Amino acid sequence: MPTDRSEPPPAGRLRPPGLGLLLAEVRGIFEFNASLLFSPLLMRAPKGDGHPVLTLPGFLASDLSMAPMRRYLKELGYDTYAWKMGRNVGGVSRMRAALRDRLAEIYGATGRKVSIVGWSLGGVYARDLALQAPDMVRCVVTLGSPFANDVRATNATRLYEALSGEAVEDNPELRAAISGDLPVPTTSIYSRADGIVNWRTCLLRPSDTAENIEVHLASHIGLGVNAAALWAVADRLAQTEGEFKQFDRSGPFAIAYAPPETAQS
């Protein structure tokens, strides 16, 4: 499977993933089938405490794309919620109020802080929600989300701008805030084999409450159903509220994760 692991970071602006990686995105269907095969192992993940989890789909996707993850997390003991806004056609600024209303609805109904899992563009929304309402957000987990560095370095930028009516460079202050440190525990899951998003745009600044987790060979469209990514999401959500420990890469999918010390090399 092709990756750009051996390439040094390009000078100046980042480039979107090349054609080889883009064409290899078709393997997402195999990642989904593999997760079904690994279901018995996935159910050995730490159990949830019943707190609410909101899932946000990626660009052009709907709640259906996150259904396997919601089903998995529900079986582990979480109270899962869809975003209920139809197909995601983009608009970080345009969607802010509606997303905050959805978060407040869940928080009000459950009386508990909400963990947010966002795939691709959904992860950008999730980070913004944590900035808007940290008192309602327990933690944020993003999957292949382009929020840092040169966020134009994706193969979906032009289509995003055409459909959303927003340019990626619009509202630079908001974009800078989303790419910075968050007031809640945060995990960014990504793959260097991503054919849609340049993996460098997914890297957050590691800290005592923030971490990057690289999943080897995962595709962009497969990250939300990839067995190793699902395990990592479940493990992160299972942490006690108010506590954070760096992800332990041992376990049944250990071979799928890059060591933390090489995650940003």
Side-chain angles (χ1 to χ4, degrees):
M1 193 70 62
T3 74
D4 65 349
R5 177 178 294 277
S6 62
E7 297 180 6
R13 297 187 72 108
L14 298 177
R15 295 187 298 269
L19 181 61
L21 286 175
L22 180 60
L23 293 177
E25 283 292 309
V26 70
R27 70 190 184 278
I29 186 63
F30 299 105
E31 292 174 85
F32 175 66
N33 290 335
S35 70
L36 296 177
L37 181 65
F38 289 127
S39 291
L41 286 178
L42 285 169
M43 292 312 300
R44 289 169 48 190
K47 297 298 185 282
D49 62 358
H51 81 265
V53 178
L54 172 62
T55 61
L56 302 179
F59 180 53
L60 296 182
S62 68
D63 282 324
L64 182 62
S65 68
M66 303 291 284
M69 178 172 292
R70 286 196 304 277
R71 184 167 53 249
Y72 171 56
L73 295 177
K74 187 173 183 178
E75 290 178 356
L76 286 176
Y78 296 96
D79 185 14
T80 60
Y81 292 84
W83 86 325
K84 293 186 177 181
M85 297 183 196
R87 192 168 297 278
N88 184 358
V89 293
V92 175
S93 296
R94 178 174 58 84
M95 296 298 297
R96 295 189 86 204
L99 284 162
R100 180 168 178 137
D101 288 346
R102 179 60 174 147
L103 174 64
E105 177 186 12
I106 297 169
Y107 177 76
T110 63
R112 303 183 69 177
K113 288 188 175 182
V114 183
S115 290
I116 309 176
V117 180
W119 193 349
S120 193
L121 179 59
V124 179
Y125 295 158
R127 290 180 63 86
D128 184 41
L129 278 174
L131 291 170
Q132 290 190 69
D135 56 321
M136 292 190 282
V137 177
R138 175 163 166 163
C139 73
V140 167
V141 180
T142 61
L143 298 153
S145 297
F147 57 83
N149 299 308
D150 181 5
V151 295
R152 290 197 65 87
T154 83
N155 283 312
T157 299
R158 291 182 180 179
L159 186 57
Y160 168 85
E161 293 179 334
L163 293 181
S164 70
E166 296 182 10
V168 170
E169 288 86 358
D170 287 349
N171 204 335
E173 293 181 358
L174 174 60
R175 183 159 51 89
I178 291 173
S179 68
D181 298 335
L182 297 187
V184 302
T186 314
T187 297
S188 175
I189 300 173
Y190 72 97
S191 169
R192 298 196 190 206
D194 192 314
I196 305 296
V197 168
N198 185 309
W199 61 271
R200 297 176 184 89
T201 67
C202 305
L203 297 178
L204 52 74
R205 187 180 72 87
S207 70
D208 290 341
T209 57
E211 65 184 343
N212 298 297
I213 300 175
E214 179 187 349
V215 179
H216 289 308
L217 303 180
S219 67
H220 184 82
I221 64 173
L223 262 177
V225 293
N226 179 284
L230 287 172
W231 178 278
V233 171
D235 181 88
R236 301 293 76 199
L237 295 179
Q239 297 183 97
T240 302
E241 184 174 349
E243 297 182 5
F244 186 87
K245 293 181 179 180
Q246 299 293 317
F247 180 57
D248 182 355
R249 287 162 171 77
S250 63
F253 300 100
I255 195 173
Y257 307 115
E261 63 271 13
T262 65
Q264 297 191 62
S265 62

